[in-house]
Amino acid sequence: MTAKPMMTANPAMPVVSAQDVHKWYGQAKVLNGVDLEVAPGEVCCVIGPSGSGKSTFLRCVNHLEKIDAGRLQVNGHLVGYRERGGRLHELREKEVAAQRRDIGMVFQRFNLFPHMTALENIMEAPCRVKREAKAVVRERAMRLLDRVGLGARCDAYPAQLSGGQQQRVAIARALAMEPTLMLFDEPTSALDPELVGEVLDVMRDLATSGMTMVVVTHEIGFAREVGDALVFLDEGTIVESGHPREVCARPRHERTRAFLSKVL
């Protein structure tokens, strides 16, 4: 049996649905019953202190980490598992890889192939994984480089680009697979302060275009300006969630107030 193909986002169905998700590393509980839904076109920003489980949750969404209990669905399909007889059975790696095609992820570090140009980095996955025609992929890759403001640097290698430029190439690379969901794991944390804005501008453009996004970030200003929902995670638990401006202006929980007082 093979995994069902990921579906195009249904306006009546959450793109991401997490139900009582738990994750342990040995005796350490990293996620403790996370419940979260992200609607199509929504930008959900996740904040919290280091070690709160933010990055782990994001990695669970595309099965880079396996959950230990609960259910995680993207576009109505269990991620990494099929359910049979009331029990979850893990999919084969090939089936998981097929699911990941609909989920783009941008990490703190850019992870570009150093021996490939910006254009080649973007073309690699669609050509190799999706077996698309090189001419079609090249045209899309150039459009994406233009979109992130780097069309003129298509032949540059990563070492010839700034950190902000490399992260913009990494975003274009994720978009080249035409995902229905984009995950961002603190995409500006490894950048010099003066380079942060150029990456956030690309993410604003994505949000405006209607891309569904889950963004782990310390950029509270971006969350307040662009986000549709703000989730505060602490010790693997969602302490508070709501509209970003409301949460930032009138946090209901003392733990949220204490955290925001240090970052605002």
Side-chain angles (χ1 to χ4, degrees):
M1 183 182 295
T2 58
K4 294 179 182 178
M6 301 291 271
M7 296 189 301
T8 303
N10 181 338
M13 177 190 299
V15 175
V16 178
S17 176
Q19 302 164 358
D20 196 27
V21 170
H22 295 256
K23 173 68 182 177
W24 287 269
Y25 290 126
Q27 298 299 311
K29 195 163 196 177
V30 183
L31 298 176
N32 187 17
V34 172
D35 291 293
L36 179 67
E37 287 191 352
V38 181
E42 186 175 38
V43 178
C44 176
C45 296
V46 183
I47 62 172
S50 296
S52 60
K54 307 184 301 296
S55 294
T56 298
F57 174 73
L58 216 59
R59 291 172 66 85
C60 287
V61 172
N62 66 356
H63 206 61
L64 290 174
E65 297 283 355
K66 301 174 185 178
I67 64 174
D68 292 306
R71 298 286 189 276
L72 248 176
Q73 294 181 315
V74 172
N75 293 329
H77 294 277
L78 287 169
V79 177
Y81 299 91
R82 71 171 60 87
E83 189 165 7
R84 193 165 54 214
R87 300 183 63 181
L88 295 184
H89 301 267
E90 191 167 3
L91 298 176
R92 296 191 299 270
E93 182 56 37
K94 184 176 181 180
E95 296 171 312
V96 176
Q99 288 186 328
R100 288 196 188 113
R101 294 176 190 175
D102 265 6
I103 306 173
M105 187 160 184
V106 178
F107 300 88
Q108 296 178 31
R109 297 291 175 180
F110 326 121
N111 299 321
L112 299 177
F113 295 116
H115 62 289
M116 293 183 179
T117 66
L119 181 64
E120 289 167 342
N121 264 281
I122 296 169
M123 293 178 61
E124 177 70 4
C127 288
R128 185 178 295 271
V129 177
K130 296 177 74 174
R131 307 289 186 184
E132 292 187 77
K134 184 172 286 189
V136 173
V137 175
R138 180 184 177 86
E139 181 181 351
R140 185 193 313 147
M142 285 303 304
R143 287 200 309 269
L144 289 169
L145 279 170
D146 286 336
R147 183 175 183 179
V148 300
L150 291 172
R153 305 304 308 276
C154 63
D155 294 324
Y157 289 90
Q160 299 171 313
L161 301 172
S162 71
Q165 290 172 329
Q166 290 185 62
Q167 192 62 295
R168 284 187 277 157
V169 172
I171 293 172
R173 179 179 59 181
L175 292 173
M177 292 292 283
E178 300 181 313
T180 58
L181 169 67
M182 284 287 288
L183 308 175
F184 292 88
D185 187 7
E186 298 189 19
T188 60
S189 65
L191 301 177
D192 292 332
E194 66 269 21
L195 302 177
V196 169
E198 63 191 52
V199 174
L200 294 182
D201 285 345
V202 172
M203 294 170 65
R204 287 187 186 92
D205 176 67
L206 277 180
T208 301
S209 73
M211 174 62 72
T212 307
M213 299 159 61
V214 182
V215 184
V216 169
T217 185
H218 291 298
E219 302 291 340
I220 304 299
F222 172 85
R224 195 163 39 195
E225 173 194 351
V226 179
D228 299 297
L230 183 65
V231 172
F232 175 59
L233 196 67
D234 188 35
E235 297 184 349
T237 300
I238 294 179
V239 175
E240 186 163 352
S241 63
H243 192 278
R245 292 191 182 92
E246 181 68 23
V247 173
C248 290
R250 287 176 289 277
R252 299 187 304 274
H253 296 272
E254 177 56 37
R255 183 68 188 91
T256 316
R257 287 193 290 270
F259 175 80
L260 289 174
S261 70
K262 297 175 182 177
V263 297
L264 287 176

